[in-house]
Amino acid sequence: MTSPNRSTHIRLTSHPQPDAPARHPIHWGAATARERGPVIGSVTDPAERNVIGTHGGAYSVYRALAVSAGALNPLMRPDLTNTDPAETIGPYPQWSDPDAIVSLDPWGHRVAVDFAQEVAEGLDIRPTIAVTKARLNLPEILAAMAGRRLAPDGGILKPSGDIAVTKIAIDPVWYLPGVARRFGVSEQHLRRTLFEQTGGMFPELVTRPDMHVFLPPIGGATVYIVGDVAALTDEKRTVACRVHDECNGSDVFGSDICTCRPYLIHGIEECVKEAQRGGAGVIVYNRKEGRALGEVTKFLVYNARKRQEGGDQAATYFERTECVAGVQDARFQQLMPDVLRWLGIRRIDRFVSMSNMKHEAIVAAGIDIVERVPIPDELVPPDARVELAAKKAAGYYTPDGAPTSDDLRSTIGRSLDTP
């Protein structure tokens, strides 16, 4: 297979001519998509680009391989016919606050509608969010039905065990000034660090201060909504939520050294129950393998923990991670609440997580959490008890006796029994 004859020529490392107006300026936090401007990260017409990086997150490198192999024409543009969202999401007031959402494009699922004219005229604007319908089928859900923890209703939960969901894929889109403010650093420092720690992969970070939006080559997030999407923003209806960080070994292959899959399944069960009560459930699945340190690092830490004198111990759990990785946890939940704000959520009635980092980040984002739901003790694998004990000791995980909905009703001035 030969590569296409035509190719693109990208010259973004030099600063534009003084006073040269941007063809498609981005005004982050504008009230409408058109006022904000499109996010153009495609390489089909470099002169139109207005961001650093390219569309597709982690998959942009695979796209490059496909082009290199001659399997993909680099000038190909997607046909967006019938790709519109399967559910309406927003717009919400949070979308027009430049500091409320800084790690995704709140208008990213509406490209085919909001910029239909520009797309028809040949401007290569691509969605960074897709909204579709699907069904989940998990063996644990059948077990929950057999144990009478869940009952099929024919709509949300089918007799087959299938769960009807709205499924949303989100690619990262970082507004660098807002990201810098979240971490309490200057935009210049953030840009320089990103440039250096990626081995100079994106020189525009330091040569194009006029570009403030970055499409990082990392994984994004997937959202699963159980029940009526409109319930997420209805103050009279309840919301259950599990924010889950990727753990391939447990989530996919069932490794029992951690509580990840059991807690994820428990969260899905709680979401089904909330939806059956007339509310909605939300699972946010973030691509942050191994506390965002990666699976290689995670497996090295497993070896270090189990081979130390005395075996695996809660007291040295995080110490062994830091010895290998240099840091205990690189997830830094400051950006995590953006997806909840994008969904319009202002209150989570049942938060299926005891992570203090996640709880504090969500509350700091102005979203009320009424009740925190721990993983039932019987769902914790024996080999994962070291992890749970270590998280409790380190303050990652709230100990037993966390506030319940009854404790918090007076605090937030809101009753779960509101009709």
Side-chain angles (χ1 to χ4, degrees):
M1 217 177 259
T2 59
S3 299
N5 291 328
R6 298 179 66 189
S7 62
T8 55
H9 300 281
I10 301 176
R11 296 181 69 248
L12 286 177
T13 54
S14 59
H15 197 279
Q17 293 182 355
D19 302 321
R23 295 194 189 190
H24 307 283
I26 294 176
H27 303 288
W28 199 266
T32 68
R34 299 194 65 79
E35 291 175 282
R36 199 286 308 277
V39 170
I40 309 173
S42 59
V43 296
T44 56
D45 191 348
E48 304 289 0
R49 288 167 50 82
N50 59 4
V51 300
I52 301 165
T54 62
H55 286 304
Y59 294 96
S60 61
V61 176
Y62 288 104
R63 186 172 62 240
L65 286 176
V67 172
S68 178
L72 175 64
N73 185 335
L75 301 179
M76 180 269 172
R77 300 187 180 194
D79 179 353
L80 300 179
T81 304
N82 293 329
T83 63
D84 296 357
E87 280 280 357
T88 299
I89 306 290
Y92 299 115
Q94 299 93 311
W95 293 14
S96 55
D97 180 344
D99 285 320
I101 299 174
V102 300
S103 61
L104 61 92
D105 175 8
W107 307 96
H109 58 311
R110 296 167 47 113
V111 165
V113 174
D114 292 331
F115 298 104
Q117 178 180 340
E118 287 82 356
V119 171
E121 292 173 352
L123 193 58
D124 192 2
I125 312 172
R126 305 191 183 190
T128 57
I129 300 176
V131 183
T132 189
K133 294 285 190 179
R135 290 189 182 185
L136 302 183
N137 190 291
L138 302 159
E140 291 94 338
I141 298 301
L142 289 172
M145 293 167 63
R148 300 185 182 279
R149 296 197 308 275
L150 290 177
D153 56 79
I156 294 165
L157 180 60
K158 314 294 182 183
S160 64
D162 286 358
I163 304 170
V165 298
T166 298
K167 186 164 66 171
I168 305 171
I170 303 173
D171 278 342
V173 179
W174 288 6
Y175 176 57
L176 293 173
V179 172
R181 284 192 288 271
R182 291 277 181 94
F183 285 88
V185 300
S186 69
E187 181 186 351
Q188 181 181 10
H189 176 71
L190 173 65
R191 295 170 77 115
R192 170 62 66 175
T193 305
L194 287 169
F195 169 71
E196 292 175 348
Q197 294 303 311
T198 57
M201 184 183 293
F202 300 99
E204 301 81 25
L205 287 166
V206 292
T207 64
R208 293 296 303 270
D210 57 311
M211 287 186 172
H212 296 285
V213 175
F214 177 41
L215 306 185
I218 60 174
T222 308
V223 179
Y224 297 88
I225 301 174
V226 185
D228 184 5
V229 173
L232 299 178
T233 55
D234 187 341
E235 289 291 315
K236 295 182 178 180
R237 299 161 81 180
T238 53
V239 175
C241 177
R242 165 77 181 163
V243 175
H244 190 90
D245 293 329
E246 179 182 24
C247 179
N248 184 62
S250 178
D251 298 342
V252 179
F253 294 102
S255 170
D256 65 352
I257 198 171
C258 61
T259 59
C260 295
R261 182 178 173 94
Y263 219 156
L264 176 60
I265 298 299
H266 181 54
I268 293 172
E269 282 192 37
E270 293 299 319
C271 286
V272 170
K273 292 175 184 176
E274 208 67 46
Q276 289 178 329
R277 288 192 285 262
V282 181
I283 301 291
V284 179
Y285 193 90
N286 292 306
R287 300 292 179 180
K288 295 180 179 178
E289 179 66 61
R291 294 191 220 121
L293 298 170
E295 203 164 33
V296 170
T297 295
K298 182 166 71 170
F299 287 8
L300 293 174
V301 172
Y302 285 166
N303 287 343
R305 282 169 48 193
K306 291 182 175 292
R307 292 172 180 170
Q308 66 185 337
E309 185 177 351
D312 201 5
Q313 305 168 44
T316 57
Y317 179 90
F318 287 109
E319 177 188 333
R320 298 311 298 143
T321 302
E322 193 164 0
C323 286
V324 175
V327 65
Q328 293 181 2
D329 194 326
R331 286 175 293 178
F332 303 111
Q333 302 291 347
Q334 286 93 327
L335 301 179
M336 175 269 293
D338 283 11
V339 64
L340 302 176
R341 283 171 155 171
W342 174 69
L343 290 167
I345 294 174
R346 294 187 178 276
R347 187 189 74 236
I348 297 172
D349 298 277
R350 308 195 77 231
F351 184 51
V352 192
S353 171
M354 302 304 284
S355 165
N356 289 339
M357 292 173 66
K358 293 175 183 176
H359 175 271
E360 291 166 6
I362 291 171
V363 171
I367 299 171
D368 291 331
I369 292 179
V370 179
E371 179 183 1
R372 300 169 73 177
V373 181
I375 182 172
D377 188 66
E378 62 271 18
L379 296 183
V380 180
D383 207 25
R385 295 190 180 278
V386 169
E387 174 207 48
L388 210 55
K391 287 182 176 180
K392 289 180 179 180
Y396 275 66
Y397 188 99
T398 294
D400 298 335
T404 65
S405 55
D406 290 334
D407 299 326
L408 293 173
R409 278 191 176 103
S410 59
T411 302
I412 68 170
R414 197 181 278 118
S415 173
L416 289 178
D417 299 322
T418 302

